């Protein structure tokens, strides 16, 4: 009884699509993020689809110019910016991707300040071309909207910040693994820079001469104010800090007469006036340390001299403690007029990948006193499965609504390892308004295979041609799991115990498979992306093709064959970019008319787009676009395509190394004739609709002589059938439940109807 009731409710939801598609002509739309509710543990997340955080940096900025500070989060993993807008009513920060489009190409690190004192924030960051250099992006308002442009300098080819040194202009050095500080060190009214030297042991003070030389507000010039700021020197191979015993001098060891000049790679520095005496203390993170070192300034803002160090900051509360290499950020988070502190990893690997943004509220009055308030600031409202999310749209319970199954490398545990697993996000919304809940955090109990599958990559499809949906999962070792679906078509998916390694297929590292019937023989073939590019007969490619040479119910692959019908460089298509050794290809596909489209992630933050023309499936694929959708959600992207909201356009769910998800609408129109329907739903009908077994065309008798053909497409763009007989009854009993698009081509036009398969 309950099953029938659920089916009736599903029919009511899906029938609305029929009205929607036949009554409205739809136009193209841009690639834009979609706001979709996602609930975890019964609570709707405020910012679920941000993509997660791994190595976040934080600073205040007023995005919407309402006079209230928001926060820009920059993540070093993928060089991703997350605009978080402060809601004064709820006292919460809400993600708004619309502000991303005007942000500059921030690289490696970010500090926000107002260098020209015009009341508009500017951004200092690593340069996007010269990674160990400093770029300055000037903020300006265009019709009240915040924008940025790179500041250009005369006789400076790359427009990076330089300092004058004995008559020469030299680029200010900030290692691409460091985080510097931008602050008015000497309180003269202009912004200076603190950064570790090329050797990594000393802090350089780059003094801004704007005020001293009476430069215009938009001019900026630096000199080397100190090559050993505050007398601080870090040890060459540890976090140990040596301080000078003499103000104005550089630290020395007892054995050395000259100042220490060691080699040390990887440090972060943050300056803040902890005791409100007008000079700046330092918080230093080190590549070799779990902690933050606090270095007290015993001098003044003219003669800075660091006279004590504490390696466990804040020692009076819960000290900062991540696995390795940390940084802190000083900003007013709660809008109480006092600057708070956020601690986060600066390392992009081998550190905490969830609960990694610790907010310390400033509870002091006469000095800054930081008290740990939250260990997952902003992250508590995001979907974040750890690292490397690899999602796939699939209707798990066959209710006609697209769910998501997401593979993930998982959360880093206390032993420094990861547990790969599958996450099942169930769609509990409607055909036009999807809504997800995390139904199962370890779908199929896949974590028990974590010893081999540390980065599971799922793909669903009919591998054996029996009409139901099977499951293939790639893993970090390059091999495959095969889960056969034992349920009948149209029933919720039920999988048998997996076969592993399946058919001895091994593509190397990080197999990213896709089930797709490329040769149109009714059997699912395998197209597999991987980390490394392949070479065959002098041709470089990044997609492996394994043709299914079995029969209905018995898939069979011969992985040892590296020539036709298999192909290690399918389509001679490559996503490897110049100056990158890896490819990191993934596979998402859709078909419109006689063209199949292949979309892939890469080692960069760009998706690659190839087109496979009918009859040229085993030829050379056309390279269409090096930046498909211009979505900029980070490197190593994995995606799946489907129309999940009934608007006749494909949507994409995108996974990334930060472990979260984005869902994005596209301008890919699933209706092959762009909805130029010249006939009404009265002229052409699908009977019955919804259906479980069969459907037929019912047309006005005057139209029957004009019938040319009928095509049926799934909601991910794959053509299911092509029929040339208008009276033919179409068997859909073996199709998966969901929405299909039926295109009827007549002599004087076309009509597209939607079909609901229950």
């Amino acid at each position: 009884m309950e099953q029938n009731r659920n089916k009736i409710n599903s029919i009511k939801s899906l029938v609305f699509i029929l009205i929607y598609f036949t009554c409205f002509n739809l136009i193209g739309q841009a690639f834009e993020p979609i706001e979709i509710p996602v609930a975890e543990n019964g609570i709707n997340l405020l910012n679920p689809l941000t993509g997660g955080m791994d190595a976040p940096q934080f600073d205040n900025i007023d995005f919407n110019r309402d006079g209230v500070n928001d926060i820009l989060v920059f993540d070093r993993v993928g060089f991703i910016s997350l605009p978080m807008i402060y809601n004064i009513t709820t006292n919460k920060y809400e993600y708004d991707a619309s502000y991303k489009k005007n942000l500059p190409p921030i690289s490696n690190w970010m500090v926000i300040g107002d260098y020209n004192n015009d009341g508009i924030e500017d951004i200092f960051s690593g340069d996007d071309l010269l990674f160990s250099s400093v770029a300055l992006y000037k903020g300006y308002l265009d019709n009240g909207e915040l924008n940025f442009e790179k500041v250009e300098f005369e006789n400076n080819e790359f427009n990076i910040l330089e300092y004058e040194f004995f008559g020469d202009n030299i680029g200010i050095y900030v290692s691409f693994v460091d985080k510097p500080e931008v602050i008015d060190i000497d309180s003269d009214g202009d912004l200076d820079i603190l950064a570790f030297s090329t050797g990594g042991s000393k802090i350089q003070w780059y003094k801004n001469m704007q005020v001293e030389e009476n430069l215009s507000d938009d001019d900026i010039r630096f000199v080397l104010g100190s090559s050993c700021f505050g007398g601080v020197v870090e040890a060459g191979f540890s976090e140990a800090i040596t301080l000078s015993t003499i103000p104005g001098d550089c630290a020395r060891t007892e054995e050395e007469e000259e100042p220490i000049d060691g080699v040390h790679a990887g440090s972060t520095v943050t300056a803040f006036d902890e005791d409100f005496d007008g000079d700046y203390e330092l918080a230093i993170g080190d590549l070799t340390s779990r902690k933050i070192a606090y270095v007290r300034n015993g001098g003044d803002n003219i003669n800075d001299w660091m006279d004590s160090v504490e390696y466990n900051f804040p020692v009076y509360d819960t000290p900062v403690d991540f696995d390795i290499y940390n940084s802190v950020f000083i900003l007013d988070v709660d809008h109480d007029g006092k600057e708070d502190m956020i601690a986060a990893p600066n390392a992009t690997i081998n550190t905490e990948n969830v609960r990694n943004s610790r907010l310390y509220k400033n509870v002091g009055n006469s000095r800054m006193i930081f008290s740990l308030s939250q260990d997952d600031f902003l992250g508590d409202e995001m979907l974040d499965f750890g690292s490397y999310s690899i999602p796939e749209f699939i209707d798990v319970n066959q209710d006609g609504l697209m769910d998501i199954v997401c593979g993930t490398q998982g959360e880093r545990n206390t032993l420094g390892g990861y547990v790969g697993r599958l996450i099942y996000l169930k769609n509990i919304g409607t055909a036009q308004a999807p809504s997800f809940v995390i139904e199962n955090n370890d779908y199929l109990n896949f974590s028990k295979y974590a010893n081999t599958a540390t980065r599971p990559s799922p793909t669903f499809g009919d591998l054996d041609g029996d009409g139901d949906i099977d499951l293939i999962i790639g893993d970090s070792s390059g091999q495959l799991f095969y889960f056969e679906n034992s349920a009948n078509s149209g029933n919720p998916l039920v999988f048998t115990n997996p076969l592993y390694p399946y058919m001895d297929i091994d593509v190397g590292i990080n197999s990213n498979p896709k089930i797709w019937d490329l040769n149109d023989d009714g059997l699912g073939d395998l197209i597999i992306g991987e980390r490394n590019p392949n070479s065959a007969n002098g041709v470089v490619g990044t997609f492996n093709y394994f043709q299914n040479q079995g029969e209905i119910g018995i898939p069979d692959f011969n992985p040892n064959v590296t020539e036709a019908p298999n192909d290690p460089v399918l389509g001679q298509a490559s996503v490897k970019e110049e100056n990158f050794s890896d490819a990191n290809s993934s596979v998402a596909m859709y078909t419109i008319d006689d063209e199949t489209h292949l979309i892939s992630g890469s080692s960069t933050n760009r998706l690659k787009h190839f087109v496979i023309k009918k009859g040229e499936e085993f030829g050379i694929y056309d390279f269409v676009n090096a930046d498909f959708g211009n979505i900029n959600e980070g490197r190593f992207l994995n995606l799946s395509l489907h129309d999940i909201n009934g608007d006749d356009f494909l949507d994409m769910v995108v996974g990334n190394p930060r472990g979260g998800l984005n869902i994005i609408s596209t301008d890919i129109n699933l209706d092959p004739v762009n909805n130029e329907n010249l006939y009404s739903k009265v002229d052409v009908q699908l009977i019955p609709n919804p259906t479980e077994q069969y459907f037929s065309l019912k047309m006005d008798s005057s139209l029957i002589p004009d019938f040319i053909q009928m095509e049926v497409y799934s909601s991910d763009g794959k053509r299911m059938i092509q029929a040339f007989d208008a009276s033919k009854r179409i068997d859909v009993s073996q199709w998966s439940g969901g929405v299909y698009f039926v295109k009827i081509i007549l002599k004087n036009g076309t009509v597209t109807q939607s079909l609901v398969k229950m």
Side-chain angles (χ1 to χ4, degrees), residues 570-583:
L570 179 66
Q572 299 185 25
S574 177
V575 302
K576 179 183 175 298
E577 295 206 23
E578 189 177 358
N579 300 322
F580 283 83
S581 59
D582 299 336

Side-chain angles (χ1 to χ4, degrees), residues 4-81:
N4 291 336
R5 185 180 299 113
N6 290 338
K7 182 171 288 189
I8 291 170
N9 288 336
S10 296
I11 291 174
K12 289 179 178 178
S13 298
L14 293 171
V15 161
F16 182 80
I17 299 177
L18 301 175
I19 302 171
Y20 186 87
F21 276 95
T22 52
C23 292
F24 296 94
N25 290 332
L26 301 176
I27 59 175
Q29 56 191 20
F31 282 36
E32 297 289 349
I34 308 175
E35 295 184 9
I36 294 177
V38 180
E40 186 173 17
N41 298 322
I43 301 174
N44 277 342
L45 298 175
L46 181 62
N47 304 302
L49 301 174
T50 64
M53 298 189 301
D54 266 11
Q57 302 184 0
F58 307 82
D59 214 335
N60 280 137
I61 189 170
D62 184 3
F63 278 109
N64 53 10
R65 315 315 294 172
D66 64 352
V68 178
N69 270 332
D70 310 305
I71 291 178
L72 174 58
V73 181
F74 167 72
D75 202 304
R76 296 189 66 233
V77 175
F79 297 171
I80 293 300
S81 297

Side-chain angles (χ1 to χ4, degrees), residues 229-249:
F229 179 75
V232 175
V233 176
E234 269 200 306
F237 301 100
S238 75
E239 74 274 22
I241 292 174
T242 302
L243 303 177
S244 172
T245 58
I246 303 173
D249 204 353

Side-chain angles (χ1 to χ4, degrees), residues 272-312:
F272 60 107
D273 188 2
E274 187 263 355
D275 50 10
F276 300 157
D277 64 351
D279 57 36
Y280 288 95
E281 282 68 46
L282 303 179
I284 296 175
D286 186 84
L287 184 62
T288 65
S289 176
R290 301 175 59 96
K291 307 292 186 178
I292 288 290
Y294 165 74
V295 187
R296 194 182 83 92
N297 195 338
D300 56 41
N301 64 341
I302 304 300
N303 301 295
D304 297 279
W305 173 51
M306 306 302 165
D307 63 357
S308 66
V309 59
E310 166 57 57
Y311 292 100
N312 213 21

